[in-house]
Amino acid sequence: MNGMFRSLAIYNYRLWAGGAIVSNIGTWMQRTAQDWLVLTQLTRHNATALGVVIALQFAPQMLLLPLTGFAADHFDRRKLLMVTQAALGILALGLGVLTVTGWVQLWHVYVFAFLLGAAAAFDTPARQTFVSDLVGEADLSNAVALNSTSFNAARMIGPAVAGGLIAIIGTGWVFLLNAASFIAVLGALLLLRTGELHASLRAPRSRGGLAEGFRYIWQRPDLRMGMLMFFLIGTFGLNFPIFISTMSVTIFHAGANQYGFLTSTMAIGSIAGALLAARREKPNIALLCVGAAIFGSGLALAAVMPDYLLFSVMLVIIGMSAQTFTTTASSLVQLSTEPAMRGRVMAILLAIALGGTPIGSPVVGWVADRFGPRWALGIGALAGVGAAIIGVYFLARYRHLRIGKVDGRIRCSFDDGEFTVVQRVRPNPDADLPSGRG
């Protein structure tokens, strides 16, 4: 079956997607409520404190990297996701109870942010790689793009709903509603037809598994390039909670409803970017460069927008370009990585992209406090442009990079005819791996 929504023809993926969008809406409601709680109720518009919360939430991606990639490659991903999703729901319930009862303090949010980050550190690589178990290799790129569409549809709905609910019932009840939303995804995991899952090749249990993942990446110039680009944009560019909240509160003097609307507005662009990605048969590195360049330019223009309406329009462009970049990067990495290595490589990618947040978020928050939110947006713009330059250099250096299988081994060919053996794999003549330029 061809078309933008072809993965939905698969029962397991359709069931998973239905449960995931409900949970994702709840997650975005909680993120919006948490940022608002810190910025307006527990502090007096302190962007640095919000940066610390974001840093603590993403620090486990790097700290737990030796365990998260191993878990995604060696454990049953369905069962692992049931544990991580249940843990995320319980933590949302705990923070909700503290907030509703009026006991919540800033240090409580710090602790829960770190614990939520620890659960998400195991959940994210398992969830990313579980897609291939649901649909198989042929529809993987389409399913990844549809996952992004679902996630960003939730990003559009969740913050807008949260903004209204915060004004009516308060932030604590938003946390409790998010806790309830995890019932949907847990139910979907329980109802999957396990006999129809596409079993991936599991890596043998051995010491040095994570080091093997790093060696695998180091031998691949395309993966090295993607990791570096993702580090720059993830560390300094994807700090949207800080960018949007500080511009909303301190520049445009908006309330909770208007703040939620801005986050939802950016999600409109993200959905468009994800749907466009779903139409493409194969991702390519040139598109990665375009996404990074437009992302950086969009942040630069957003930084100088004079009013709320024009700023919201720029957020649509930023959302589309950010989604184009992240979806293309994720698809490229998954499609060109062997199933036995995919969990570790994705965990490293996410750790590099999100693990840099503990560095970038406090810096961006401090800049917003010290010099103003517009200068913080400027830092993100520089990161996007810098990532685009790296990608252009790669395309110029490896103009005809090809990745393929020769005698059961993945090999990379370059302009000078050099071949580098990357990893021993099982022969699979039906595999179709993307080239450097596409």
Side-chain angles (χ1 to χ4, degrees):
M1 177 180 178
N2 296 320
M4 184 183 296
F5 301 102
R6 60 184 180 274
S7 294
L8 291 175
I10 301 170
Y11 169 82
N12 277 343
Y13 181 79
R14 187 167 64 247
L15 183 64
W16 163 259
I21 192 169
V22 175
S23 180
N24 285 335
I25 289 172
T27 297
W28 277 108
M29 289 169 58
Q30 167 143 340
R31 289 185 182 183
T32 304
Q34 178 181 277
D35 297 343
W36 192 255
L37 176 69
V38 172
L39 203 61
T40 65
Q41 295 176 231
L42 300 180
T43 71
R44 298 187 56 158
H45 303 170
N46 191 325
T48 303
L50 181 58
V52 171
V53 171
I54 297 170
L56 289 170
Q57 196 157 327
F58 289 107
Q61 293 281 355
M62 185 64 73
L63 295 176
L64 299 175
L65 179 58
L67 300 175
T68 56
F70 178 90
D73 272 339
H74 292 82
F75 297 158
D76 184 309
R77 291 169 187 154
R78 174 174 164 271
K79 294 178 180 178
L80 178 60
L81 286 170
M82 293 178 69
V83 172
T84 57
Q85 291 289 309
L88 290 167
I90 292 170
L91 289 169
L93 177 64
L95 184 57
V97 170
L98 282 174
T99 307
V100 167
T101 57
W103 294 344
V104 69
Q105 298 179 37
L106 184 59
W107 71 268
H108 291 146
V109 181
Y110 287 162
V111 171
F112 273 91
F114 184 82
L115 293 176
L116 284 165
F122 285 94
D123 181 82
T124 306
R127 182 160 35 85
Q128 294 273 353
T129 52
F130 187 58
V131 176
S132 63
D133 295 346
L134 293 169
V135 302
E137 298 287 328
D139 293 314
L140 179 58
S141 181
N142 176 257
V144 168
L146 290 181
N147 268 13
S148 297
T149 304
S150 170
F151 183 78
N152 286 289
R155 178 190 274 182
M156 181 177 65
I157 299 167
V161 172
L165 290 177
I166 290 169
I168 298 171
I169 60 177
T171 55
W173 289 101
V174 176
F175 297 148
L176 294 178
L177 287 172
N178 176 46
S181 74
F182 284 94
I183 296 173
V185 72
L186 288 170
L189 287 167
L190 284 170
L191 294 173
L192 290 176
R193 296 172 182 168
T194 55
E196 296 180 11
L197 292 175
H198 298 258
S200 298
L201 177 64
R202 291 285 186 261
R205 300 197 177 201
S206 61
R207 294 184 178 180
L210 182 62
E212 185 180 359
F214 277 108
R215 284 194 297 270
Y216 184 89
I217 292 169
W218 187 252
Q219 294 176 79
R220 292 275 300 277
D222 57 324
L223 294 183
R224 294 201 309 268
M225 174 274 306
M227 299 287 177
L228 183 55
M229 291 177 71
F230 228 138
F231 173 77
L232 283 175
I233 288 181
T235 301
F236 300 107
L238 300 181
N239 289 292
F240 299 130
I242 297 175
F243 296 149
I244 296 175
S245 63
T246 54
M247 288 290 288
S248 177
V249 172
T250 64
I251 301 297
F252 304 125
H253 308 290
N257 282 326
Q258 290 78 16
Y259 167 51
F261 174 77
L262 284 179
T263 304
S264 296
T265 299
M266 190 179 72
I268 294 173
S270 300
I271 292 171
L275 287 174
L276 289 173
R279 290 179 62 90
R280 288 188 289 269
E281 291 296 326
K282 294 181 183 179
N284 59 75
I285 294 172
L287 183 62
L288 202 63
C289 298
V290 172
I294 296 176
F295 176 76
S297 302
L299 285 176
L301 290 172
V304 298
M305 286 297 104
D307 58 43
Y308 178 92
L309 181 59
L310 290 175
F311 181 73
S312 67
V313 171
M314 290 310 307
L315 288 179
V316 176
I317 297 173
I318 292 169
M320 182 181 293
S321 58
Q323 192 60 46
T324 297
F325 176 83
T326 55
T327 302
T328 302
S330 178
S331 297
L332 277 171
V333 169
Q334 293 205 57
L335 285 170
S336 62
T337 302
E338 282 304 309
M341 296 294 297
R342 191 172 287 153
R344 277 164 289 181
V345 172
M346 285 302 297
I348 292 170
L349 174 69
L350 293 166
I352 288 174
L354 304 178
T357 304
I359 302 170
S361 290
V363 171
V364 171
W366 178 83
V367 170
D369 282 335
R370 180 70 177 81
F371 302 103
R374 297 186 187 277
W375 286 100
L377 281 163
I379 291 178
L382 288 174
V385 173
I389 292 172
I390 291 170
V392 170
Y393 170 80
F394 173 86
L395 287 176
R397 172 66 180 84
Y398 301 106
R399 287 175 296 172
H400 298 98
L401 172 66
R402 291 291 182 271
I403 305 167
K405 295 182 179 179
V406 180
D407 297 330
R409 293 177 184 267
I410 288 185
R411 294 175 182 257
C412 295
S413 63
F414 304 92
D415 290 340
D416 57 8
E418 177 185 358
F419 277 85
T420 302
V421 177
V422 178
Q423 179 75 14
R424 180 72 184 179
V425 298
R426 294 179 179 178
N428 182 4
D430 297 326
D432 187 11
L433 301 177
S435 66
R437 189 174 289 273

